[in-house]
Amino acid sequence: VYCLDMTGGVLWETKISDYINEPLFLQETHLFALGDGRLFAFDRFSGETLWLKALPEKDISSYCLAGGKVYILSKKGNLYIINTVDGDFSGVAALPMEPAGLLFGNEEKLLIGSKGGLFVYKISENGVTLKEKYLEGHEIRAVAFTGRCLFVATKEGLFVIS
């Protein structure tokens, strides 16, 4: 893992034994990397490994940061919730339908695409709760949030939810 400055100079580098297969996420003082069945947290300024967490499953669909937690979605449909400070598990939720590999979140909610629609989960201190379903029967391919509208791509086309 390399940290580069704006001119491409190396600020720090850290070697890990895993292959990183998802984009890295940055949150204030931490940098997160999802490896082969493990989640790594690095100090964003020094590259020092702060903690690593072995995951119960290796087949990961996607992950995101939201509300001070890391949410990891497995291909089997399990949603793992991990505390960003110490790497402890905060909970696990089983999705009602096979995920399509899409996970997006903010401070209040998670959006999870599936092969049968878009599921919106409310984030709380106790975990996540299914709040709404959209586009049932559609396979979700991508989601983008612009601040006002939610754009959802499916096999059939692009939908706007406001």
Short mmCIF file of all heavy atoms in Angstrom, two decimals, residues 13 17-18 24 28 33 44 49 52 64 75-76 82 85 100 104 107 109 113 147-148 150:
data_model
loop_
_atom_site.label_atom_id
_atom_site.label_comp_id
_atom_site.label_asym_id
_atom_site.label_seq_id
_atom_site.Cartn_x
_atom_site.Cartn_y
_atom_site.Cartn_z
N GLU A 13 4.93 3.78 2.60
CA GLU A 13 4.50 2.52 2.02
C GLU A 13 4.42 1.48 3.13
O GLU A 13 5.15 1.54 4.11
CB GLU A 13 5.44 2.05 0.92
CG GLU A 13 6.84 1.72 1.38
CD GLU A 13 7.73 1.29 0.24
OE1 GLU A 13 8.29 2.16 -0.42
OE2 GLU A 13 7.86 0.06 0.04
N SER A 17 0.37 -8.95 3.42
CA SER A 17 0.45 -10.25 2.74
C SER A 17 -0.77 -10.54 1.87
O SER A 17 -0.79 -11.54 1.17
CB SER A 17 0.60 -11.37 3.78
OG SER A 17 -0.51 -11.36 4.66
N ASP A 18 -1.78 -9.70 1.90
CA ASP A 18 -3.01 -9.94 1.14
C ASP A 18 -3.01 -9.16 -0.17
O ASP A 18 -2.34 -8.14 -0.30
CB ASP A 18 -4.24 -9.49 1.93
CG ASP A 18 -4.60 -10.45 3.04
OD1 ASP A 18 -3.76 -11.30 3.38
OD2 ASP A 18 -5.71 -10.36 3.56
N LEU A 24 -9.61 1.48 -1.72
CA LEU A 24 -9.36 1.84 -0.33
C LEU A 24 -10.30 2.97 0.07
O LEU A 24 -10.72 3.76 -0.76
CB LEU A 24 -7.91 2.30 -0.15
CG LEU A 24 -6.88 1.18 -0.08
CD1 LEU A 24 -6.61 0.58 -1.43
CD2 LEU A 24 -5.61 1.69 0.53
N GLU A 28 -11.04 10.30 8.09
CA GLU A 28 -10.29 11.12 9.05
C GLU A 28 -8.87 10.62 9.27
O GLU A 28 -7.99 10.97 8.52
CB GLU A 28 -11.07 11.26 10.35
CG GLU A 28 -12.38 12.00 10.17
CD GLU A 28 -13.22 12.00 11.41
OE1 GLU A 28 -12.73 11.66 12.51
OE2 GLU A 28 -14.40 12.35 11.29
N ALA A 33 -8.47 -1.04 3.92
CA ALA A 33 -8.22 -1.85 2.74
C ALA A 33 -8.80 -3.24 2.98
O ALA A 33 -8.58 -3.83 4.05
CB ALA A 33 -6.73 -1.95 2.45
N ARG A 44 -3.55 6.89 8.45
CA ARG A 44 -3.45 7.54 7.13
C ARG A 44 -2.23 8.43 6.98
O ARG A 44 -1.83 8.76 5.87
CB ARG A 44 -4.71 8.32 6.82
CG ARG A 44 -4.79 9.65 7.56
CD ARG A 44 -5.98 10.43 7.16
NE ARG A 44 -5.66 11.28 6.02
CZ ARG A 44 -6.42 12.26 5.61
NH1 ARG A 44 -7.56 12.51 6.20
NH2 ARG A 44 -6.08 12.98 4.59
N THR A 49 0.03 -0.14 10.45
CA THR A 49 -1.16 -0.97 10.56
C THR A 49 -1.71 -0.83 11.98
O THR A 49 -1.02 -1.12 12.95
CB THR A 49 -0.85 -2.45 10.27
OG1 THR A 49 -0.30 -2.55 8.95
CG2 THR A 49 -2.09 -3.31 10.37
N LEU A 52 -6.10 -5.41 12.12
CA LEU A 52 -6.64 -6.17 11.00
C LEU A 52 -7.67 -7.14 11.57
O LEU A 52 -7.56 -7.60 12.70
CB LEU A 52 -5.57 -6.89 10.19
CG LEU A 52 -4.80 -8.03 10.81
CD1 LEU A 52 -5.47 -9.36 10.53
CD2 LEU A 52 -3.41 -8.04 10.21
N CYS A 64 -18.24 -0.60 2.32
CA CYS A 64 -18.27 0.86 2.36
C CYS A 64 -18.15 1.34 3.80
O CYS A 64 -18.27 0.56 4.74
CB CYS A 64 -19.56 1.40 1.72
SG CYS A 64 -21.03 1.24 2.73
N LYS A 75 -20.96 -12.27 -0.62
CA LYS A 75 -21.73 -12.74 -1.77
C LYS A 75 -22.89 -13.64 -1.36
O LYS A 75 -23.85 -13.80 -2.09
CB LYS A 75 -20.82 -13.46 -2.77
CG LYS A 75 -19.90 -12.49 -3.48
CD LYS A 75 -19.09 -13.15 -4.55
CE LYS A 75 -18.23 -12.09 -5.22
NZ LYS A 75 -17.35 -12.65 -6.23
N LYS A 76 -22.83 -14.19 -0.14
CA LYS A 76 -23.93 -15.00 0.38
C LYS A 76 -25.06 -14.15 0.93
O LYS A 76 -26.11 -14.67 1.27
CB LYS A 76 -23.42 -15.92 1.49
CG LYS A 76 -22.54 -17.04 1.00
CD LYS A 76 -22.14 -17.92 2.16
CE LYS A 76 -21.26 -19.06 1.70
NZ LYS A 76 -20.80 -19.86 2.85
N ILE A 82 -18.51 -3.51 11.27
CA ILE A 82 -17.26 -3.48 12.03
C ILE A 82 -16.98 -2.06 12.51
O ILE A 82 -17.06 -1.10 11.74
CB ILE A 82 -16.09 -4.00 11.16
CG1 ILE A 82 -16.37 -5.45 10.75
CG2 ILE A 82 -14.77 -3.89 11.90
CD1 ILE A 82 -15.38 -6.04 9.80
N VAL A 85 -12.84 2.08 14.92
CA VAL A 85 -11.80 2.42 15.89
C VAL A 85 -10.94 1.22 16.25
O VAL A 85 -9.71 1.29 16.24
CB VAL A 85 -12.42 3.05 17.16
CG1 VAL A 85 -11.36 3.30 18.21
CG2 VAL A 85 -13.16 4.33 16.82
N ALA A 100 -26.34 -7.91 -5.34
CA ALA A 100 -25.80 -7.77 -6.68
C ALA A 100 -24.42 -7.10 -6.63
O ALA A 100 -23.92 -6.63 -7.62
CB ALA A 100 -26.74 -6.95 -7.56
N PHE A 104 -23.73 1.13 -0.73
CA PHE A 104 -23.46 2.56 -0.66
C PHE A 104 -24.08 3.07 0.62
O PHE A 104 -25.17 2.65 0.99
CB PHE A 104 -24.09 3.26 -1.87
CG PHE A 104 -24.03 4.76 -1.81
CD1 PHE A 104 -22.86 5.43 -2.12
CD2 PHE A 104 -25.14 5.49 -1.43
CE1 PHE A 104 -22.81 6.81 -2.06
CE2 PHE A 104 -25.10 6.87 -1.37
CZ PHE A 104 -23.92 7.53 -1.69
N GLU A 107 -24.45 8.67 6.64
CA GLU A 107 -24.59 8.65 8.10
C GLU A 107 -25.92 8.03 8.55
O GLU A 107 -26.03 7.59 9.68
CB GLU A 107 -24.47 10.06 8.66
CG GLU A 107 -23.12 10.71 8.42
CD GLU A 107 -21.97 9.93 9.06
OE1 GLU A 107 -22.08 9.55 10.24
OE2 GLU A 107 -20.97 9.70 8.37
N LYS A 109 -28.23 5.93 6.30
CA LYS A 109 -28.76 4.74 5.64
C LYS A 109 -27.73 4.05 4.77
O LYS A 109 -26.75 4.64 4.35
CB LYS A 109 -30.00 5.07 4.85
CG LYS A 109 -29.82 6.13 3.78
CD LYS A 109 -31.11 6.43 3.05
CE LYS A 109 -31.80 7.59 3.69
NZ LYS A 109 -32.93 8.11 2.97
N GLY A 113 -27.90 -2.99 -3.39
CA GLY A 113 -28.50 -3.50 -4.61
C GLY A 113 -28.54 -5.01 -4.57
O GLY A 113 -27.65 -5.66 -4.03
N GLY A 147 -27.02 14.07 -3.99
CA GLY A 147 -27.40 15.02 -2.95
C GLY A 147 -28.89 15.30 -2.97
O GLY A 147 -29.51 15.55 -1.96
N ARG A 148 -29.46 15.29 -4.15
CA ARG A 148 -30.90 15.51 -4.31
C ARG A 148 -31.62 14.28 -4.82
O ARG A 148 -32.74 14.00 -4.46
CB ARG A 148 -31.17 16.65 -5.27
CG ARG A 148 -30.80 17.98 -4.73
CD ARG A 148 -31.20 19.03 -5.72
NE ARG A 148 -30.95 20.34 -5.16
CZ ARG A 148 -31.39 21.43 -5.68
NH1 ARG A 148 -32.10 21.38 -6.79
NH2 ARG A 148 -31.14 22.57 -5.12
N LEU A 150 -31.32 10.07 -6.33
CA LEU A 150 -30.62 8.80 -6.38
C LEU A 150 -30.81 8.22 -7.78
O LEU A 150 -31.94 8.08 -8.24
CB LEU A 150 -31.20 7.85 -5.33
CG LEU A 150 -30.59 6.47 -5.23
CD1 LEU A 150 -29.16 6.56 -4.70
CD2 LEU A 150 -31.43 5.60 -4.33
#
